[in-house]
Amino acid sequence: MTTEAGSETEVKEKAEETSAQPDQSETAEQEGQEVANVEGEEKEKGKEKEGKEGKGITRYLPTWFKKQKSQSQTSPTKEVPPAGEPVSKATEGEEEPAPEVNGHAEEVEEKEEVKSEEAKEATAAESDSTASAETEPAREEKVEDATAKSEETTKEAAEAEGAEEEQKEKERQGHVEAEADGGESQTSIFQSPLRLVRKNKMKVVVCRVTLLDGTDFTCEVEKRAKGQYLFFKVCEHLNLLEKDYFGLTYKDSHDEKCWLDPTKEIKRQIRSNNWHFAFSVKFYPPDPSQLTEDITRYLLCLQLREDVSSGRLPCSFVTHALLGSYTLQAEFGDYEPDQPRPLDFISQLTFAPNQNKEMEEKILELHKSHRGMTPAQADIQFLENAKKLSMYGVDLHHAKDSEGVDIMLGVCANGLLVYKDRLRINRFAWPKILKISYKRNNFYIKIRPGETEQFESTVGFKLQNHRSAKKLWKVCVENHSFFRLNAPEAPTKARFLTLGSKFRYSGRTQAQTRLASSLIDRPAPSFERTSSKRISRSLDGAPVISITEAGSETAENGRDPHLELHSDSKAKEVDLSHVDVEAKPSQQQSPGRAEPAPSQVHTLLLDLDKTQDEVLKHQASISQLKRSFMEAPPPSPPQPNQWEKRLTSSPATTIRVQQQQVTPEVEIEETVVIQEVSRAVKLGLVPVTADSPATPPAEPEPKPQDQIEKVEEEAAAVEEVKPVKPERASSESESEEEAEYQPNVAASITQTKIPEEKEEEEEEQMTKEEEQQQVSPPVVPAPPVEASEPAEELSQEEEEEAKKEDTSVVEEKKDDQEEKESGRETEESTDDPMVTPEEAPEGLILPDETLGAKPTEEQERPKMNGEASLVEVDPRPQVICCSEPPVVKTEMVTISDTFAAQKTEIATKEVPIVHTETKTITYEAAQLDGNGDGEPGVLMTAQTITSESLCTTTTTHITKTLKGGLSETRIEKRIVITGDCDIDHDQALAQAIKEAKEQHPDMSVTRVVVHKETELAEEEED
Amino acid sequence: MAGLMAGFGHYTHAVVRGIPASLAKEALRTSQAEVDLTGARTEHDAYVEVLRTKLGLEVVELPADESLPDCVFVEDAAVVCGETALITRPGAESRRRETEVMKEALKDLNLNIVEMTDENATLDGGDVLFTGREFFVGLSKRTNQRGAEILADAFKDYAVSTVPVLEGLHLKSFCSMGGPGLIIIGSSEPAQKALKIMQQMSDHRYDKLTVPDDIAANCIYMNLPDKGHVLLHCTAEEFPESVKVFEKLKDHMLIPVSNLEKVKVDGALTCCSVLINKKANI
């Protein structure tokens, strides 16, 4: 799947480029890309064509999807379709890529359905190359598929976007920028007539965005556009490249400020007709001096000035004066002794909530001392002081503690702060937090046990209502992800259940954005500061010119440094841009893969790595993990070199960080209950998951319970799910009553793109363990089995996928027993490996299925998930066995054909029928210590090796446990082999075991679980 | 530059106060020790002399007030940070009036005066540890939450975290700053516990210097232009083991200051002066 993701991204990018091309003169780069595109296109052409001509696309599109599309682009009618996520995803796809393409694609579709002529014309006119047109449809298809995939898609999309952005950046850097952007803009210009026509048909909304300087930026956006689209529009308008620190907010129906989720449709979020937003700083960089561009710092300054003057960012008199003086210097330059500005001039400016003459005098006095300082320098000084303020970057939320006392919870880069009145009464650094969850109006954090404590504790807070609890939770998830992770976490994939908020931070993390911005190479853009604008009003007319230029010169459009267009000009721009908008929406989705290829997925859970080289690497990574784990260091920045290489080499490729670093992470267990039934179940779960401190050896017990519960849930979910449409899922996220997010220590997730992988389910199962997500190499095209369809509907039907998955889990144990003090020191323990039996079971199967397989799954999720879980269930018993202490199990084999029983007919025609055979084999060696728990210390590594036909993924979990003075380290390796050709499973397994033994001679293999899933049959809609 | 948190430990002025004769008998104390008034005065003179002569601070000496036996411990009466001085409301009823003269003196130094007027608030300066980046306020017998809140309000730039003081009179009875980012801490369990809390509450990292004797952990750190790091600490006669620890501070100018008598009435080194940096903020 990973592979696909990668390809998708590329496709998207290509799509953009392609779109741009026709209009613009082609740049060499573009050409190159084109070629690539073409190739890519051609591959899929066949499929696409089918789709096009035979209305094929429509055919396999789920009905809801079709509707959506048609609505969005063509038909004015809008339904507020129930389709939550899928739709949104689709939308995303659309937005992101080049607008034009979308337009074409849509048109194509539409031809048959509704309109024809225009579309054709447009197509012809716009796209010189038919090929592009063709391609587009394909993309769409993909998109759709992606949609089906569900969350994955979203993530991918996000990543893709990221990629795009980067690309853009590069382009800009290389001066090509202008062209690229220009491409868009030009295109829009050229096509404008057509588009205008179309416009009428499309539902377009005017968004008003209040910028940091207080001015409004208006732009038209297709009604279905996602948050991202608007955000990018704004950033483009601002000429802002380091945009990841920023976001858009809107006021919800309760007049509370909310962050606009970039991955979702705007319309669904605002839930009102008030298309008014504010551009704000979302993540305050702890060290603004590390920002690359002055313009970014300038915007941050604007935000902070507002924060300070409004009192949101409290500071002392002296600091007010100091900050004010830098503001003066930045805005007005040197103090002029000859023409001292009258005091009343200053008093027109607001520097502080309780500004008075004394302060103004002080400001002026200090201003004098800044003589010679450039505006940029003044901004830097401003920020250097502002960043030290204790409330800098702290997002406060009202809450009550367990005793009902009013407190404030502050979310910031370092963690969660608890304030009572002005006093900080507690602080939970991110590394101390194991899990963040909310349920109704309660917000919980599970705290890692301290040195002297044995068990983790859970701290609960009461928020005003469910909404605010969720909002806080989201903010926490985002802040944690942004500041602590190297790469955003994969959105929960299709878990068993669709339940729960899948919300995850989808943007770039600080580490990523830093890297990205380190590559910014454009000449510093000139920009006007508010006051200077004021001063130079006479020049206002000028901007118009720039607009014109934009029109004529493609290149310059978006990019030009003149960000600040005066109002008039802005308006014009808007029109243009809006054109783009229309086009854009359709495109993106391309990446989704439509056809399911029969693939085999083998999952081997082993302790081993495949190749010896890898072994070495692996070991290295392990040690690295250990180290990092021990130190619990801040996320190490991705290695620049790699990034650069990637960036440079393949512009098309999104930046993926595939490092396996151990960042303190967050594992996410979310549980959101969609329906009541499920809720009930969950409730049950919740308790389990959150082990109360009281529960002592939490692990062993909880797991089984969890599993059981899960099973129940799944069952429930399945039932429920069916009725529920995919859309719901999306909606759910909003309605969900609870969700969890677990920052895991170990997991390094590398992939930007491929989010999904295994984890989801496992997490739940593997309660404490973190797993890593593996980054699957984007490259491999075929392997994964995919049911391309939007499975959602499928979901119920069971599709059996024709996949084979073999999951083998080999646990090696090494028992070194050391007498340790009760304290568990993770680090040390790491060194002495002991095996904890338990974890394995959890890890077993699921992930891969998800991974390997298919985008489809998401859609299917309900079912698939359910199935998956079922499958898992089988293995679980093993788990139980494991938990039995001294019992030595030599071998245990479980073979189940789960699916046969479950198969259900698929009602939907679109759904492919897949038969899946699942086999699970477990091998367990004697265990010295039966207790399993994995707890606090878990480290993981993941490696993915991809070849054309095979995709092998190795995940390593290292768990340390201190029990009664013994430290145990268990290493669990999961190897997933996915491929569409025949694989000699036995051999693979044998080799894996052998390697494991070789690799860890001092450890013993205690258990091997092989889970094999085979796709017996597959239907491809395509 | 007036920058925030710039120049930690840089002081230009010190406010001290004389020892009233009533100190020997009436000053509050947690132990029943006999105070040698003369000895206390001698000690105090030496202390002031160090500040004035050795360190070159401008010392403002307030007259003793016989009706205020504890008045020598000026630290409790005011918290000065930057250009702002918070006049406290001492937890001990008998000491409330100590702030009057202090307030005047600080006013004369052109500091922005903030008064703690809330009847429910109490705060002793001895419970306030300023690290250069933030404040820790000990919640003790003398200081309550409300007092800490008012302090937080007075110094808005800084985080103010509360730390329960389970044993000992004040937070600074077992800790103090030994440099930027260096906390000197006593080795007793309550002291170590308090340190843990402080570390947990802080976004900043602090090094710690653990000394065997809690009271020896109360030192005065300064960073003076021509002298660099300066640490006034207990003498070897009082706490030989702790002094050995201080001697490991190679970068510091170490100045042992005797405190044999005042300690009997719970007076530590920091208690006897309020340090001010008049030029800190432009």
Side-chain angles (χ1 to χ4, degrees), chain A residues 791-1019:
Chain A
E792 341 233 332
E793 307 189 316
L794 301 180
S795 54
Q796 311 163 348
E797 324 84 317
E798 296 258 343
E799 344 160 307
E800 337 335 321
E801 315 135 9
K803 317 171 169 179
K804 295 183 178 183
E805 292 194 351
D806 292 8
T807 312
S808 319
V809 179
V810 178
E811 294 188 356
E812 292 188 356
K813 267 190 192 177
K814 172 183 177 177
D815 303 348
D816 289 13
Q817 308 185 344
E818 292 188 0
E819 297 292 351
K820 286 203 175 181
E821 312 113 17
S822 52
R824 6 172 127 175
E825 313 189 353
T826 352
E827 314 120 20
E828 300 181 358
S829 49
T830 317
D831 300 344
D832 332 63
M834 287 274 315
V835 180
T836 329
E838 303 224 328
E839 317 260 13
E842 314 154 342
L844 296 182
I845 309 172
L846 305 180
D848 296 298
E849 295 182 353
T850 334
L851 282 183
K854 5 161 141 215
T856 326
E857 293 188 355
E858 300 176 352
Q859 306 162 343
E860 308 167 10
R861 353 168 162 149
K863 291 204 164 185
M864 289 303 297
N865 297 338
E867 294 181 355
S869 53
L870 295 178
V871 175
E872 293 180 357
V873 176
D874 301 351
R876 294 188 183 175
Q878 305 166 358
V879 175
I880 298 173
C881 301
C882 303
S883 42
E884 305 174 351
V887 179
V888 178
K889 286 213 173 184
T890 322
E891 201 164 352
M892 180 165 148
V893 179
T894 311
I895 300 179
S896 58
D897 277 354
T898 318
F899 296 127
Q902 295 186 352
K903 293 178 186 176
T904 311
E905 291 288 339
I906 301 172
T908 318
K909 304 164 187 178
E910 303 162 358
V911 181
I913 301 178
V914 184
H915 291 265
T916 308
E917 185 182 68
T918 309
K919 290 184 183 181
T920 304
I921 302 173
T922 307
Y923 157 80
E924 280 191 66
Q927 297 182 348
L928 295 182
D929 204 356
N931 40 4
D933 40 82
E935 301 215 349
V938 181
L939 299 177
M940 319 189 0
T941 312
Q943 292 188 351
T944 306
I945 304 168
T946 310
S947 61
E948 295 233 321
S949 55
L950 294 181
C951 175
T952 306
T953 307
T954 306
T955 308
T956 308
H957 293 256
I958 301 177
T959 311
K960 313 163 206 166
T961 314
L962 252 194
K963 290 201 170 183
L966 301 184
S967 89
E968 307 175 338
T969 299
R970 190 181 55 134
I971 299 178
E972 179 182 325
K973 289 202 178 174
R974 170 174 308 123
I975 299 178
V976 181
I977 303 174
T978 311
D980 45 7
C981 62
D982 277 339
I983 298 172
D984 184 335
H985 305 285
D986 295 336
Q987 189 180 352
L989 178 59
Q991 170 155 9
I993 296 174
K994 186 180 159 204
E995 285 178 3
K997 286 182 177 169
E998 289 174 355
Q999 187 177 348
H1000 303 278
D1002 50 349
M1003 298 183 77
S1004 56
V1005 176
T1006 56
R1007 185 170 52 183
V1008 180
V1009 178
V1010 180
H1011 178 74
K1012 184 171 170 182
E1013 227 178 65
T1014 311
E1015 279 189 0
L1016 300 180
E1018 232 189 337
E1019 280 196 7

Side-chain angles (χ1 to χ4, degrees), chain A residues 57-73 79 81-83 85-94 106 109 113 137 139-148 153 224 585-590 725-727 790 792-793 859 910:
Chain A
I57 296 180
T58 5
R59 240 197 269 151
Y60 29 79
L61 294 183
T63 44
W64 54 270
F65 191 85
K66 291 179 189 173
K67 287 183 181 179
Q68 179 206 350
K69 275 204 169 178
S70 56
Q71 292 175 358
S72 58
Q73 299 181 349
E79 314 165 352
E85 294 188 348
V87 176
S88 58
K89 293 175 182 178
T91 322
E92 283 189 22
E94 296 177 359
E106 293 179 357
E109 293 182 0
E113 298 177 356
R139 288 171 193 162
E140 287 189 356
E141 294 181 1
K142 290 184 179 180
V143 176
E144 298 170 357
D145 297 349
T147 313
T153 316
R224 295 235 162 230
S586 43
Q587 290 193 344
Q588 275 207 340
Q589 320 243 355
S590 50
K725 289 194 176 182
E727 317 135 358
E792 341 233 332
E793 307 189 316
Q859 306 162 343
E910 303 162 358

Side-chain angles (χ1 to χ4, degrees), chain A residues 314-320 322 326 354 358 362 365-366 369-370 381 384-391 412 414 417 419-429 432 451-452 631, chain B residues 1-6 82-84 112 133-134 137 139 144-162 196 199-205 281-282:
Chain A
C315 54
S316 66
F317 175 90
V318 177
T319 304
H320 272 306
L322 185 64
Y326 287 124
N354 45 0
E358 185 188 1
K362 183 80 176 176
E365 176 191 330
L366 292 173
S369 67
H370 303 325
Q381 287 306 320
E384 282 306 298
N385 283 280
K387 79 174 187 192
K388 292 177 188 163
L389 295 169
S390 76
M391 299 304 287
C412 66
N414 295 321
L417 304 168
Y419 293 91
K420 181 166 183 305
D421 294 304
R422 277 241 138 94
L423 300 175
R424 183 183 291 182
I425 57 174
N426 213 336
R427 171 178 176 273
F428 303 100
K432 284 281 286 180
E451 300 167 357
T452 57
E631 301 175 359
Chain B
M1 208 200 63
L4 267 181
M5 338 218 163
E83 288 188 348
T84 303
N112 304 316
R133 300 301 306 263
E134 63 192 315
V137 178
L139 297 181
N144 63 20
Q145 183 97 6
R146 185 69 193 123
E149 283 168 19
I150 292 172
L151 179 128
D153 234 20
F155 303 103
K156 294 197 181 75
D157 293 349
Y158 302 95
V160 178
S161 306
T162 54
K196 281 233 167 68
Q199 287 172 330
Q200 185 197 324
M201 301 275 261
S202 176
D203 293 327
H204 309 290
R205 292 202 149 233
N281 290 284
I282 300 183

Side-chain angles (χ1 to χ4, degrees), chain A residues 502-518:
Chain A
K502 301 157 197 156
F503 176 81
R504 287 296 176 282
Y505 175 62
S506 57
R508 281 197 284 216
T509 62
Q510 184 178 40
Q512 290 173 323
T513 197
R514 279 186 180 162
L515 266 183
S517 53
S518 68

